[in-house]
Amino acid sequence: MEQIKGTINSIRYTNTKNGYTVCDLKSDNNTHITLVGIMPMLVEGENVVATGEFVSHPDYGRQFKVEECQRDIPTREEGIIQYLSSGFIKGLGKVTAKNIVEKFKEKTFEIFQFEPYKLADIKGITPQKALFYGQAFLEHENMRNIIMLMQKYGVSSEIAVKIWNIFGAHAEEEVRKNPYRLSEADIGLGFSICDRIAFSLGLEPSSLDRLKSALLYLLSTQIAKGHTYSPKEELIKLCVKLTRVPEELINNAFDALLLEEMIFVERQYPDRVYTSDMIDAERYCARKLSGLNTKRDDYWVKDCDSLLSEYEKNQNISLDTIQLKAIKCALSQRICVITGGPGTGKTTIIKTLIEIFESKGLSTVLAAPTGRAAKRVSETSGYEAKTIHRLLEVGYSIENNEKPYFMKNEDNPLLADVLIIDEASMIDIIMMEALLKAFPWEASLILVGDADQLPSVGPGKVLSDIIESGSIPVTQLETIYRQMEESRIITNAHLINQGKMPSINEEEGDFFFIPKLSSKDVTACITDLCINHITERFGLEPIKDIQVLSPMRKGDTGVRNLNTILQKAFNPESEDKPQKQFGNTVFRLGDRVMQIRNDYSLPWTLTDENGFTSDGLGVYNGDMGIIIDIDSKEELITVCFDDNRICEYRFDRLESLEHAFAITVHKSQGTEFPAVVISLFGIPRGLICRNLLYTAVTRAKKLVVLVGNPTIMEEMVRNINERERYSGLKERLM
């Protein structure tokens, strides 16, 4: 490693999210050197000591790659002028900076920090502007201090800025007071890093703050895994393992958290440890669902048989006994569940219910948990479906760190007589709570979904808990209707769900298994299928029609590596395709991408088939689209999502996007694709379960191809037990 010293002469590029900077340094021997690396909040005029090594870039030549950068506020007058006028103090230009420095000399920074009102002695600076300059200077220095402090421990600038946004000017003080606060969900730092910071500050391993934070950290990781609570005994054991302190001390910390109402247990369930969000959500959902569980008193419900006979005659269809039972239940109950696998007539029932309800003058709203699921049910039913977020009119609060909230709630309920939710298996307990808070007591709620699919990504298993409680009316659809004679997809899905091996590799079939026994062979086969065989034999387009699925993100056959391989095959680099590198990812014009976190403030525009343009806010986890423009000058990437919304991403917001040539099975829920290619190799033991395979194959409309180890498929079909998910809603409903 080498060290170079000098002054920052100019900054060519900086990423405000991660601190990556390209700048020009004038060294002490008056040579100009290009520095590249993580150097957050660098300002022209600063003196720096950079540690790193010289490298040769193929396009930009010799550069100094910075591993560590120590900074000092400049002491020479010309450096101070350049520093103050570099732009971090809005409205302070070079002329004003020069006048300030000429008056206060080497005491300039002391004036900004401790006596900013004296800046009003300079001609053109009002008392109000003087205080503004002082405040801006202090904020910049405080933010830079917390970023530099975090950088010492390998914490990204993005996390450091998040810490600043939460604590403001007191950020460094709060971190030093309790580093374990950084492990909480709103910041999300790993506990081992918090330990590193805490121990360097002299905190004891057995300190109460550390042990309380460890329990809260572990409880939040349990929630991230889909649980709504953690068994107490399991939580204590995990904490002993994490902290390496005696169980007695952990129990003391546990009791302290109970007294402070940071965690909750109940008399009837003393072994279940909840956060306030989770226990409130479960209690509210159970109370509201139980209250809704009554019969309708509408006069026309008595005439269900004649009503349905008239409908069948008008539509020229014939509904079977179970379908009629489901419809009658939905017409007569305030709340009910209709569940069944693919092709069992769920969409037919949705269409029938909407037409009957609306013929009786009842306003009916159709919704789904995600944009892709809403688009799908809109296309199949012929009725507009909204996402639950859009239905509840999601907003966000700038004052509260852009925390989302719903404008539809108990005080401002939904205006609907009937609400039908499709793909209800995807709803987690927090979303269900928000939905029920906005749901009017006098309306009817109909939940439609496939209880055998994977549970929601978020905490809880709402649909299966409602069904298993036995307290809410449920109709199970079993007869397969939507099945072409020559297709095996739906029948094979039902065979898998019954624990039977699917029928594969028929000569003219649409359901295939290709055995491959190495990760290299699996990835090569998947690529060849997508580029050559499927496109040639079935006439499908790779990016538009074929979706690669994998159970996991990591590993040679996980989605991360598959996306790298498939991008080269689907959308190779060329001179006519602009691209943008962000970290280790290269985004290219024409790439298929996915939003990987909810962003409630991101604007979008939508132009319908009549040319009418609307706009709104919010892009959500799982939304998929194509990159249609990369503008290096404006530093923007434009994405057209599958529902035709168009969004622009600044180059510093690209952490919200990842490639979607391959996606996880969990992310594919609620969507259908013409063809799916599924990797079945190197799967962790916890993911080898029947409902994951069942969910994967039911994503396909025309073609399923599985590639991998036949033994893994057999184990998945046999294994009915998914990873246990702790949820208390079922017992609360019983």
Side-chain angles (χ1 to χ4, degrees):
M1 290 287 183
E2 297 182 60
Q3 255 191 9
I4 56 174
K5 299 179 181 180
T7 303
I8 301 301
N9 191 51
S10 65
I11 295 176
R12 303 179 195 172
Y13 170 79
T14 185
N15 184 318
T16 56
K17 287 286 184 180
N18 61 18
Y20 182 82
T21 302
V22 180
C23 63
D24 179 64
L25 175 115
K26 185 179 180 181
S27 69
D28 288 351
N29 60 7
N30 286 328
T31 59
H32 287 264
I33 302 169
T34 299
L35 304 186
V36 297
I38 304 299
M39 297 173 281
M41 298 191 71
L42 209 58
V43 173
E44 293 174 3
E46 280 189 293
N47 301 320
V48 302
V49 179
T51 303
E53 61 182 353
F54 282 100
V55 297
S56 180
H57 191 280
D59 295 326
Y60 304 115
R62 192 168 184 259
Q63 300 176 334
F64 191 80
K65 186 177 180 182
V66 177
E67 296 295 331
E68 184 180 352
C69 184
Q70 296 178 339
R71 288 92 64 90
D72 291 310
I73 290 177
T75 54
R76 295 180 180 178
E77 289 189 8
E78 63 269 21
I80 297 174
I81 293 168
Q82 187 179 21
Y83 181 78
L84 290 175
S85 61
S86 62
F88 74 88
I89 301 178
K90 190 175 180 181
L92 181 56
K94 197 161 188 176
V95 173
T96 304
K98 185 178 179 181
N99 292 337
I100 293 171
V101 174
E102 284 179 351
K103 180 172 180 62
F104 298 111
K105 308 291 183 184
E106 70 279 358
K107 293 187 176 181
T108 295
F109 292 135
E110 290 180 30
I111 296 297
F112 270 90
Q113 192 167 1
F114 302 111
E115 299 176 290
Y117 58 88
K118 288 186 177 181
L119 296 172
D121 294 344
I122 306 297
K123 185 179 179 181
I125 300 180
T126 64
Q128 294 82 2
K129 191 175 285 187
L131 293 176
F132 171 80
Y133 286 166
Q135 182 67 24
F137 181 87
L138 277 177
E139 284 189 2
H140 182 268
E141 292 306 303
N142 287 336
M143 187 187 291
R144 192 173 70 160
N145 288 343
I146 191 65
I147 288 175
M148 291 182 70
L149 176 65
M150 292 295 99
Q151 193 180 43
K152 282 173 55 180
Y153 301 103
V155 178
S156 71
S157 300
E158 185 179 355
I159 297 292
V161 170
K162 187 185 291 186
I163 295 168
W164 168 262
N165 288 336
I166 291 172
F167 297 117
H170 303 289
E172 187 174 356
E173 177 187 343
E174 290 293 329
V175 169
R176 293 184 182 279
K177 185 168 67 177
N178 180 15
Y180 296 102
R181 169 68 178 84
L182 307 182
S183 68
E184 295 178 21
D186 57 349
I187 297 173
L189 207 58
F191 194 81
S192 60
I193 298 177
C194 294
D195 261 350
R196 199 187 315 154
I197 299 170
F199 295 158
S200 74
L201 296 173
L203 269 74
E204 293 295 327
S206 59
S207 72
L208 187 61
D209 279 341
R210 178 175 185 252
L211 303 185
K212 290 194 301 184
S213 296
L215 286 165
L216 292 173
Y217 171 77
L218 289 167
L219 189 53
S220 70
T221 60
Q222 292 289 77
I223 292 170
K225 291 177 182 177
H227 307 299
T228 60
Y229 69 85
S230 174
K232 180 181 177 181
E233 184 179 355
E234 182 176 325
L235 185 66
I236 297 295
K237 285 181 178 178
L238 287 170
C239 198
V240 169
K241 184 178 179 181
L242 178 67
T243 61
R244 298 181 181 179
V245 301
E247 186 173 323
E248 180 184 356
L249 295 178
I250 303 296
N251 281 316
N252 291 340
F254 185 91
D255 292 340
L257 288 173
L258 281 176
L259 288 172
E260 295 168 18
E261 296 188 339
M262 298 290 287
I263 59 174
F264 298 84
V265 297
E266 298 170 289
R267 186 175 300 171
Q268 65 270 42
Y269 304 117
D271 187 48
R272 297 179 180 181
V273 186
Y274 285 91
T275 64
S276 61
D277 287 348
M278 292 298 112
I279 198 168
D280 288 347
E282 275 197 0
R283 286 171 170 173
Y284 186 90
C285 288
R287 188 165 62 249
K288 186 75 175 266
L289 289 168
S290 298
L292 290 170
N293 191 18
T294 60
K295 288 184 176 293
R296 296 178 63 91
D297 55 5
D298 302 81
Y299 71 92
W300 53 271
V301 173
K302 300 174 183 177
D303 302 321
C304 273
D305 289 333
S306 60
L307 202 63
L308 286 167
S309 295
E310 181 182 350
Y311 176 80
E312 287 178 302
K313 182 179 178 181
N314 292 338
Q315 299 295 321
N316 194 26
I317 62 171
S318 179
L319 301 167
D320 75 3
T321 304
I322 296 180
Q323 287 178 312
L324 290 170
K325 176 186 173 185
I327 294 167
K328 287 179 182 179
C329 182
L331 293 175
S332 60
Q333 298 288 332
R334 288 287 180 194
I335 180 171
C336 72
V337 175
I338 299 169
T339 183
T344 54
K346 295 190 294 293
T347 303
T348 298
I349 291 173
I350 289 173
K351 291 169 66 175
T352 303
L353 287 170
I354 292 175
E355 293 194 23
I356 290 177
F357 279 127
E358 294 201 334
S359 71
K360 294 296 181 179
L362 298 181
S363 62
T364 306
V365 174
L366 180 60
T370 67
R372 288 178 290 143
K375 181 183 179 185
R376 177 186 172 194
V377 72
S378 293
E379 292 171 345
T380 55
S381 70
Y383 291 92
E384 181 194 6
K386 297 180 179 180
T387 63
I388 294 177
H389 282 91
R390 183 181 166 200
L391 180 71
L392 299 182
E393 298 179 13
V394 66
Y396 70 100
S397 171
I398 297 176
E399 293 78 14
N400 196 10
N401 200 28
E402 296 194 356
K403 185 176 180 180
Y405 64 92
F406 295 107
M407 286 179 271
K408 292 295 183 182
N409 50 41
E410 289 172 302
D411 298 323
N412 181 30
L414 294 166
L415 299 176
D417 297 312
V418 180
L419 175 60
I420 302 174
I421 303 291
D422 193 31
E423 295 289 354
S425 64
M426 299 176 68
I427 301 178
D428 62 45
I429 192 69
I430 296 297
M431 181 57 67
M432 193 65 179
E433 179 191 27
L435 183 68
L436 290 174
K437 281 186 174 179
F439 190 76
W441 280 103
E442 64 277 7
S444 296
L445 177 63
I446 302 165
L447 301 173
V448 182
D450 187 347
D452 294 317
Q453 287 191 27
L454 290 167
S456 59
V457 175
K461 45 191 178 84
V462 172
L463 184 65
S464 59
D465 273 353
I466 291 173
I467 293 171
E468 291 172 16
S469 73
S471 61
I472 305 292
V474 176
T475 305
Q476 174 74 50
L477 306 176
E478 297 174 349
T479 306
I480 301 174
Y481 296 97
R482 180 171 55 86
Q483 178 65 50
M484 297 181 294
E485 291 183 8
E486 67 273 16
S487 176
R488 300 293 301 175
I489 295 174
I490 290 177
T491 52
N492 275 341
H494 285 273
L495 287 172
I496 290 169
N497 203 29
Q498 295 162 15
K500 301 175 183 177
M501 291 299 293
S503 174
I504 59 175
N505 297 345
E506 295 179 359
E507 183 64 27
E508 298 299 324
D510 56 6
F511 199 104
F512 300 91
F513 188 96
I514 302 175
K516 296 292 178 183
L517 299 179
S518 75
S519 59
K520 185 177 180 181
D521 288 344
V522 169
T523 56
C525 179
I526 288 174
T527 304
D528 190 39
L529 283 167
C530 295
I531 297 300
N532 298 314
H533 293 292
I534 293 177
T535 55
E536 292 170 4
R537 179 169 174 179
F538 296 92
L540 299 175
E541 298 178 28
I543 294 180
K544 180 182 176 184
D545 298 327
I546 304 171
Q547 183 62 60
V548 176
L549 302 179
S550 176
M552 64 278 186
R553 293 182 57 80
K554 299 179 181 179
D556 291 341
T557 55
V559 297
R560 288 178 180 171
N561 189 51
L562 283 170
N563 271 317
T564 300
I565 294 169
L566 293 172
Q567 184 195 32
K568 294 177 182 177
F570 282 7
N571 192 30
E573 184 176 0
S574 70
E575 292 182 0
D576 62 341
K577 293 178 185 174
Q579 60 185 40
K580 165 63 183 173
Q581 180 159 352
F582 184 80
N584 295 323
T585 303
V586 175
F587 292 104
R588 187 172 298 137
L589 183 68
D591 278 351
R592 186 151 184 77
V593 293
M594 173 187 285
Q595 176 81 11
I596 59 171
R597 57 174 62 89
N598 291 337
D599 187 335
Y600 300 95
S601 62
L602 187 63
W604 51 260
T605 60
L606 175 64
T607 303
D608 64 19
E609 55 189 16
N610 299 316
F612 178 75
T613 300
S614 57
D615 52 40
L617 297 175
V619 181
Y620 305 112
N621 187 0
D623 287 350
M624 294 170 64
I626 302 289
I627 294 177
I628 59 172
D629 186 48
I630 298 180
D631 188 333
S632 297
K633 185 177 180 181
E634 297 295 328
E635 297 190 350
L636 291 172
I637 284 182
T638 305
V639 177
C640 180
F641 286 100
D642 290 347
D643 59 2
N644 296 320
R645 286 175 304 152
I646 293 178
C647 293
E648 291 182 338
Y649 289 78
R650 298 196 314 265
F651 281 179
D652 62 0
R653 294 187 78 161
L654 297 180
E655 73 280 350
S656 298
L657 287 178
E658 67 179 25
H659 285 121
F661 301 108
I663 62 175
T664 62
V665 178
H666 283 83
K667 291 283 191 182
S668 72
Q669 286 178 267
T671 309
E672 282 187 334
F673 308 95
V676 296
V677 179
I678 305 164
S679 169
L680 293 182
F681 188 87
I683 302 175
R685 179 58 51 185
L687 294 176
I688 297 179
C689 54
R690 184 185 300 170
N691 64 353
L692 190 143
L693 180 61
Y694 172 74
T695 301
V697 301
T698 53
R699 301 308 92 208
K701 292 190 286 187
K702 296 181 180 179
L703 176 68
V704 171
V705 184
L706 302 110
V707 182
N709 190 335
T711 303
I712 288 180
M713 182 172 73
E714 293 170 7
E715 291 177 354
M716 294 180 86
V717 171
R718 288 198 304 265
N719 183 20
I720 193 171
N721 297 316
E722 62 176 300
R723 186 183 295 165
E724 184 180 6
R725 183 172 279 209
Y726 302 125
S727 170
L729 181 62
K730 179 175 74 173
E731 288 85 356
R732 296 181 193 277
L733 288 170
M734 293 172 69

